[in-house]
Amino acid sequence: PAQPYQARVAYVGALSDNATCARPQGEAAQALSYPKSMAAGPGGLVYVSDRLGVHVVDSTTGSIRAFANVAGHEVTASRGLAVGGDGDVYVVDGARKRVEVFSKDGAFVRDIGKDGEMSNPQGVAIDGARGRLLVADAALGAVVCYALDGAPLRTIRGTDALPLGVPTQVAVNSLGEVFVVHQGVPRIVIFDADGNYLRGFGPDGDQSGQFARPKGIAIDSEDHVYVTDAAFDNVQIFDRLGQLLLFFGQGGNGNGEFNLPFMMAIDGNDRIFVADYGNHRVQVLQYLGAKFNR
């Protein structure tokens, strides 16, 4: 918030190209092109999906290189991304209707999902404490859950009174609660760790705490829920019950401004990465750890 109130989020910088970083001899400069989704890994590595494929960006040096392009396992329609505790990178492949798993060095490890299990997979999240992978499938109207070795576990579908509709992104908090971006009627729908419906928040509208085009979702170390909205060009922050705490960002191309923000990720140090689609960059911010006051 504006002064004199205590700052909760600080702007750090932006990732867009490797033109100014030290590159191996002969390596051409690269730039991000309409980044949509990302995942934050250990060691400052950020995995970004855009129209040109999947890249790994070293946020400390600015280097960019191609990722998920192993012969026979090239991801041609990359969507959601997630990074496991061991550094493995999970990439949703919309063309194969699978989740492809790669090591942090880019070697193919395994794929998750068999024919007919996924129809239009979008976002993905890892629940490390429970050893499971969650995949939001927009066509199935469900979140499909797997063990990290690929064994199917359960499918979360909502209720008859409140079907899940068009789920596009998913996140998990420390309690195992599952937060799903509901694209059909813009809102966030929440389930417990066993897939039972709990509540939802954020009806469609143009006021604070409401949604028009929610895109990305991420959860920090204190279980605050961050949601990007491509119509508002901002990020709204809620507590786990859906109470609005703060929002930041506005339309533009300056520091902390957005042009169609899509997915986002938060790393173990509470650094916030937002795919600033229309500005061809990933913006980096930092949650400062101060308790929010309502």
Side-chain angles (χ1 to χ4, degrees):
Q3 293 182 350
Y5 300 103
Q6 183 178 4
R8 268 63 173 181
V9 177
Y11 174 81
V12 175
L15 308 173
S16 59
D17 59 56
N18 65 348
T20 59
C21 78
R23 301 189 303 276
Q25 185 175 3
E27 181 178 298
Q30 298 185 47
L32 299 179
S33 172
Y34 298 101
K36 281 191 171 184
S37 62
M38 72 196 61
L45 298 180
V46 183
Y47 301 86
V48 182
S49 171
D50 68 10
R51 295 200 305 187
L52 302 178
V54 182
H55 313 274
V56 56
V57 183
D58 188 326
S59 62
T60 61
T61 67
S63 68
I64 302 175
R65 57 183 173 84
F67 192 81
N69 60 348
V70 178
H73 297 282
E74 300 91 346
V75 179
T76 58
S78 57
R79 294 176 181 171
L81 303 167
V83 179
D86 56 2
D88 282 353
V89 183
Y90 295 71
V91 183
V92 175
D93 187 333
R96 291 191 177 99
K97 301 179 182 180
R98 299 281 195 277
V99 176
E100 308 280 353
V101 186
F102 299 86
S103 73
K104 64 181 180 180
D105 299 319
F108 175 75
V109 177
R110 62 184 176 282
D111 56 20
I112 294 176
K114 298 179 180 178
D115 290 344
E117 289 182 0
M118 301 182 206
S119 181
N120 185 9
Q122 296 284 331
V124 63
I126 292 176
D127 183 358
R130 293 157 192 83
R132 59 181 182 165
L133 178 77
L134 300 99
V135 184
D137 193 305
L140 294 180
V143 174
V144 186
C145 305
Y146 295 89
L148 294 182
D149 63 3
L153 296 176
R154 63 165 55 91
T155 300
I156 300 173
R157 294 188 179 278
T159 66
D160 291 340
L162 185 63
L164 203 44
V166 187
T168 54
Q169 297 297 316
V170 60
V172 182
N173 69 7
S174 65
L175 302 175
E177 294 173 334
V178 179
F179 292 72
V180 184
V181 177
H182 187 298
Q183 202 78 13
V185 178
R187 64 187 290 110
I188 304 300
V189 183
I190 310 168
F191 301 86
D192 68 16
D194 296 320
N196 301 305
Y197 172 77
L198 292 176
R199 58 191 169 272
F201 66 85
D204 58 317
D206 59 3
Q207 303 298 312
S208 296
Q210 299 176 343
F211 301 121
R213 294 177 64 193
K215 291 293 185 180
I217 187 168
I219 298 176
D220 69 18
S221 65
E222 297 178 2
D223 282 341
H224 302 126
V225 182
Y226 298 63
V227 183
T228 60
D229 197 301
F232 301 152
D233 286 325
N234 72 2
V235 179
Q236 298 188 84
I237 308 176
F238 302 83
D239 67 16
R240 55 178 286 269
L241 299 178
Q243 172 70 44
L244 178 67
L245 302 173
L246 180 72
F247 65 87
F248 63 87
Q250 61 183 10
N253 58 13
N255 295 345
E257 297 177 340
F258 302 103
N259 180 3
L260 298 177
F262 269 64
M263 314 319 171
M264 61 183 304
I266 299 177
D267 70 10
N269 296 315
D270 281 336
R271 285 197 306 171
I272 305 160
F273 300 87
V274 182
D276 192 0
Y277 180 86
N279 286 324
H280 313 285
R281 64 186 178 180
V282 172
Q283 293 207 61
V284 187
L285 303 104
Q286 177 70 57
Y287 170 53
L288 299 176
K291 295 293 185 181
F292 289 102
N293 296 318
R294 296 197 182 105

